[in-house]
Amino acid sequence: MAEQKRDYYEVLGVEKSADDAAIKKAYRVLAKKYHPDMNPGDAEAEKKFKEASEAYAVLSDPEKRRQYDQYGHAAFDGAGGAGGFGGFDFNSADFGDIFGDIFGDLFGSGRRSGGRSNGPMKGANLRTSVRITFEEAVFGVDKEIELTLKDECTSCHGTGAKPGTSPETCTKCGGKGQVVFTQQSFFGTVRNVQTCPDCHGTGKVIKDKCPDCRGTGYIANKKKIQVSIPAGIDNGQCVRIRDKGEPGTNGGPRGDLLVEVVVGRHPIFQRQDENIYSTVPMSFAVAALGGEIVIDTVDGRVIYEVKAGTQTDTKVRLKGKGVPSLRNKDVRGDHYVTLVVQVPDKLPHEAKELLKQFDAQTGDSLNAAKNITSDSAEEPTGGSGKKKKKFKF
């Protein structure tokens, strides 16, 4: 007794109201999961792959889907076709058309959907880089770069053929730019479409090549291009210059030029998004008594009033002294400054005496060791009961 077939919609896991896109998406998932190339030697996976392929072959065809919705599997009983699933002829060229683009997307080969390959195509994008300073990234700058670009050959006007001659229609593909070939698979003969190897998809072949461009249709020239780098750009971001890339084919437009910006390091400033960070030293006297200090910013030096008793690592904010926003040039980030009390490592004798006097007058509350009297203090002892030596720092 023959095994009863499952409902095609159930096989693909879609509703009966599913559109073509949903059906194709569901089949792609199953085809990739159960394809024999992904599951070598797995008979169960091969069975599920064939089952999904049969379901997709029916539901992706409007007429067959209409018949199936009306009569079910009985619509195709006895429909003929040796080697097919349930009466379908999977040895036909139409079957290859159904699956070619899917297998091409999944496994990197096969038929690609879309227009003729010898139609107008945009040229490839070019990439280059330019170095700028930290300040130039903040405020923007115009740079001139030099690079080699392809231009249409003035001798053949881009045809690639020797002056006085013209490209001829490719005899292999008949000017279509594509060739069709068939190959055997485990479920029958599949038709695939590939770019013509003789004309490379152009539909034309050149018998006599232009001596100036050697048949390419283009001449390479060095050119200087002005690049306008906007204020606020960050390291690694790109500036796009339209129509400065590779030439298009068959009348297509040129590609674009992508200029990557490399921002140099700054000795004082660090950047995070639209904010700038820096560290500024201040003397102990200014920290204790208050006073003015000078802070360097990208806009120049500013005077900042330090409050008396300011502690080290205090952070202050200079509003609007950061980096302009790329989206809104009127908006700028902030500059955050960390104030650090600078302790001198060398002092003259007079300064030392003054600090001692200061220390005595303030009660030396921070020096706990001096506040312990010699009578009350005991030197720590070790396990032997002997006094340990005092350490000098």
Side-chain angles (χ1 to χ4, degrees):
M1 184 175 181
E3 183 179 354
Q4 187 174 2
K5 290 185 178 182
R6 289 201 298 157
D7 179 79
Y8 287 150
Y9 293 101
E10 178 186 345
V11 170
L12 296 182
V14 297
E15 300 291 336
K16 288 190 176 182
S17 58
D19 58 13
D20 293 341
I23 291 174
K24 184 175 182 179
K25 182 179 180 180
Y27 175 67
R28 284 174 60 92
V29 174
L30 295 174
K32 188 172 183 179
K33 182 177 181 180
Y34 296 116
H35 195 281
D37 291 346
M38 307 294 289
N39 305 274
D42 190 336
E44 184 64 24
E46 181 177 341
K47 178 182 176 181
K48 291 183 177 180
F49 176 75
K50 290 181 178 180
E51 184 182 44
S53 298
E54 178 182 345
Y56 179 70
V58 172
L59 300 184
S60 63
D61 185 291
E63 179 59 25
K64 291 178 180 177
R65 183 177 180 180
R66 183 190 65 78
Q67 294 177 18
Y68 178 75
D69 288 344
Q70 186 172 3
Y71 302 107
H73 293 296
F76 310 107
D77 288 345
F85 298 111
F88 286 107
D89 183 9
F90 285 86
N91 290 311
S92 68
D94 291 339
F95 179 71
D97 285 342
I98 292 174
F99 295 100
D101 61 336
I102 292 181
F103 292 146
D105 290 342
L106 291 176
F107 304 104
S109 62
R111 178 176 177 266
R112 297 287 182 180
S113 60
R116 290 159 54 104
S117 64
N118 61 345
M121 294 182 63
K122 184 178 179 178
N125 294 335
L126 290 178
R127 296 186 70 96
T128 188
S129 62
V130 61
R131 290 184 174 273
I132 63 175
T133 66
F134 187 93
E135 289 83 0
E136 288 173 339
V138 172
F139 297 108
V141 67
D142 290 333
K143 289 285 185 178
E144 185 179 75
I145 59 175
E146 185 177 72
L147 69 161
T148 301
L149 295 176
K150 293 180 180 178
D151 288 323
E152 184 180 280
C153 176
T154 57
S155 298
C156 66
H157 303 291
T159 65
K162 183 179 180 180
T165 66
S166 300
E168 300 177 4
T169 301
C170 177
T171 56
K172 187 175 186 67
C173 65
K176 296 180 179 180
Q178 296 175 329
V179 290
V180 180
F181 70 95
T182 58
Q183 64 182 94
Q184 294 293 327
S185 69
F186 71 93
F187 50 74
T189 303
V190 178
R191 186 178 74 169
N192 291 284
V193 181
Q194 286 188 348
T195 300
C196 177
D198 289 1
C199 67
H200 305 290
T202 64
K204 301 287 184 179
V205 292
I206 301 172
K207 297 294 185 181
D208 297 319
K209 295 182 179 180
C210 173
D212 292 337
C213 66
R214 299 181 181 179
T216 64
Y218 302 99
I219 299 293
N221 296 313
K222 283 189 175 181
K223 288 189 174 183
K224 292 182 178 181
I225 298 177
Q226 294 292 326
V227 183
S228 181
I229 300 174
I233 198 165
D234 207 348
N235 184 60
Q237 292 182 323
C238 290
V239 176
R240 181 184 293 269
I241 303 178
R242 302 287 182 183
D243 303 325
K244 292 296 182 181
E246 293 282 3
T249 56
N250 300 319
R254 296 186 75 107
D256 301 331
L257 175 63
L258 303 177
V259 183
E260 182 182 0
V261 177
V262 180
V263 182
R265 290 174 177 260
H266 196 278
I268 300 176
F269 306 134
Q270 293 84 42
R271 174 180 175 178
Q272 184 176 344
D273 298 327
E274 295 169 1
N275 296 323
I276 295 176
Y277 298 83
S278 67
T279 300
V280 175
M282 60 179 176
S283 69
F284 177 78
V286 171
L289 304 176
E292 293 181 345
I293 61 172
V294 177
I295 299 178
D296 289 316
T297 72
V298 291
D299 296 313
R301 291 186 167 184
V302 298
I303 304 297
Y304 181 80
E305 185 72 27
V306 176
K307 295 180 181 179
T310 297
Q311 302 297 310
T312 191
D313 288 337
T314 296
K315 291 179 174 59
V316 299
R317 173 191 178 196
L318 304 179
K319 189 175 181 180
K321 292 294 184 181
V323 181
S325 169
L326 277 174
R327 295 186 179 91
N328 186 351
K329 62 181 180 180
D330 295 326
V331 177
R332 289 183 63 174
D334 302 323
H335 185 161
Y336 292 91
V337 182
T338 300
L339 302 179
V340 178
V341 177
Q342 193 171 40
V343 179
D345 55 358
K346 292 182 181 180
L347 287 173
H349 177 73
E350 293 80 2
K352 292 180 179 179
E353 291 300 321
L354 290 173
L355 278 177
K356 289 179 181 179
Q357 295 177 25
F358 166 79
D359 199 33
Q361 292 179 12
T362 56
D364 195 18
S365 60
L366 297 180
N367 194 338
K370 285 187 177 183
N371 292 329
I372 302 176
T373 64
S374 59
D375 293 336
S376 61
E378 293 183 359
E379 295 183 15
T381 60
S384 62
K386 295 181 180 180
K387 294 182 179 179
K388 288 185 177 180
K389 294 182 180 180
K390 294 181 179 180
F391 292 93
K392 294 182 178 180
F393 297 91

